[in-house]
Amino acid sequence: MPTTVYRARRILTLNPSRPDATHVAVREGRILGVGSLEDLAGWGPLELDERFADKVLMPGLVEGHSHLMAGTFWRFTYCGYFDVRDPQGRTVDGSPSLEAVVAVLSARAAVMDDPVAPLVGWGFDPIYFGQRRCNRHDLDRVGATRPVGVMHASGHILNVNTAALEQAGLLRAGIEHPGIPLGPDGLPTGELKGPDAMGPALAVVGLNRSFLGSDEFGIRAFGQLAVRAGVTTATDLAATLGDGEVDELVRVTGEADYPLRIVPLLRLIGMTPADAVQRALALRPRSTEQLHLGRIKVVADGSIQGFSARLRWPGYYNGAPNGLWYTPPETVRQAYALALAQGVQIHTHTNGDEATEMVLDQLEAVLRTQPGPDHRFILQHCQLADAAQFRRMKALGMGVNLFANHHFYWGDQHRDVTVGPERAERMNACRTALDTGVPFSIHSDAPITPLAPLFTAWCAVNRLTASGRVLGAPQRINVMDALRAVTLGAAWTLKLDGEIGSIECGKRADFCVLEDDPTEVGAERLKDVRVWGTVQGGRVFAAA
């Protein structure tokens, strides 16, 4: 097979044995060797490729917590507060008020031919609008006959109009559910919190998980977003993974020009732990080089800014009631025991520190009687964990994937509204993880925040809020630690660190191609490093 050698201005390998190089040899989609051209000459005839001679290569970035719906959502109307870029790189303006959200949805409704077709918005977050909450009457202004649904940025809350509530069978008195707040008239306000409450309305507006994770348009758009961000491996961290979904994922990711390796995790919802473990095991043989199956995702609680996360005493800073248990403790324990027995990895979503404590308790109880060598059960988000909880993670052999982007997008709100100054300063404690020896990565949770690991690294290094406040300076980490978190760190959480995450002999030929050197631009400009594109499995993909 032919061997191609790429020359670069600099290669940041993330391999401590050879951290820097100028040339990398690729054969059959894998890395044959790294070093100088002289070092590689012994491999036989080489074809020198100079296209990256003025660029910087580093390992392909690994997004350890994202969702394929980050691509699928571009079928719908963006209603977020901040400006974002679409898969083609075009800037889409944010909506800085509830009136602006209603206006952008109304503009979309005005060009729709069918007056009863559902209208979907996404990225919405009323926490930026003060105490005012969106209700069904607000969305009735968008359309009285069509169902209208607007997904919150957190993904844990859905606002719907009266028509959607009617079609979902929820516009009635007598509902008693913690995720369905009622108005003065005794009817639901249209704000639905958590999967149980959202489920019927999601079906009405067409936002079921199966569609969001297997839509061909969405899978392709997600691949485009990944190339623009320098990402070569990404997760879909809450998939339903029915046979049809898996068929579509195998087909699209198997195409010669699809640029991304996808790691979907089966979400434990609507099935027993035993069924989930057996389904994960049954999916493993369908894995390919571009699609890794066989892991499980458990969701313990909700969202901090949505006030559905479970917090320990003293609870929410503004006095809001405590959040929701999405998965009860006894179910979590059963899932852990069965998964450990079968060698199935579980990632668990915990936002609040009470949820984190519950998960630590359940795993500790299971491990007392059922050891799991190198189980690598991962806490996802784990935003409010304190130092004692990190010490417990270390003792239990866990890893953590911290939501560093929260500092920028919701840091001011966490400090002033949700958890108060002290706890906000310890959120997403990368420095504590590093000092405690807990393996960690950092993530975007796209589409909750945009897919952009270099921005995520910038967040962990600088801990700046949107207003420019440094939130928790002692928890900052340096640039190289942050780059390691979005490469080898994330690969470790997926048990793929033997295949990806660094540039060294035998690993996949996955590179992030940069115009700038992230170690030279300065910590404050890390988010501005320009991405040329990627090399994935030896195939070159330009972002432009």
Side-chain angles (χ1 to χ4, degrees), residues 490-513:
W492 186 91
T493 68
L494 300 173
K495 288 195 169 184
L496 292 177
D497 51 312
E499 298 182 41
I500 59 175
S502 60
I503 300 176
E504 53 185 299
C505 180
K507 289 194 172 185
R508 303 293 180 190
D510 290 2
F511 314 132
C512 173
V513 185

Side-chain angles (χ1 to χ4, degrees), residues 133-134 157 165 175 177-183 186-193 197:
R133 305 297 289 183
C134 178
I157 301 174
L165 284 174
I175 293 177
H177 190 289
I180 305 179
L182 306 178
L187 298 176
T189 64
E191 187 173 78
L192 306 173
K193 302 180 179 182

Side-chain angles (χ1 to χ4, degrees), residues 387-409:
Q389 290 178 323
F390 274 98
R391 289 189 288 271
R392 290 188 70 190
M393 292 176 218
K394 173 67 173 175
L396 294 173
M398 302 189 81
V400 65
N401 192 359
L402 300 168
F403 201 168
N405 285 17
H406 253 259
H407 310 319
F408 179 80
Y409 287 102

Side-chain angles (χ1 to χ4, degrees), residues 355-368:
T356 295
E357 190 78 0
M358 181 272 284
V359 165
L360 294 172
D361 288 345
Q362 303 314 311
L363 184 59
E364 182 177 8
V366 172
L367 287 173
R368 285 198 191 105

Side-chain angles (χ1 to χ4, degrees), residues 7-8 55 67 197 228 231 347 378 382 401 410-411 494 529 540:
R7 179 167 77 92
K55 306 192 187 308
H67 303 272
R228 292 187 176 280
V231 173
H347 291 230
I378 306 299
C382 195
N401 192 359
W410 292 285
L494 300 173
V529 169
V540 178

Side-chain angles (χ1 to χ4, degrees), residues 1-5 25-27 32-33 36-48:
M1 294 293 291
T3 300
T4 301
V5 173
V26 174
R27 181 190 294 171
L32 188 62
S36 66
L37 187 59
E38 181 181 3
D39 292 332
L40 302 175
W43 288 109
L46 307 173
E47 180 180 319
L48 185 62

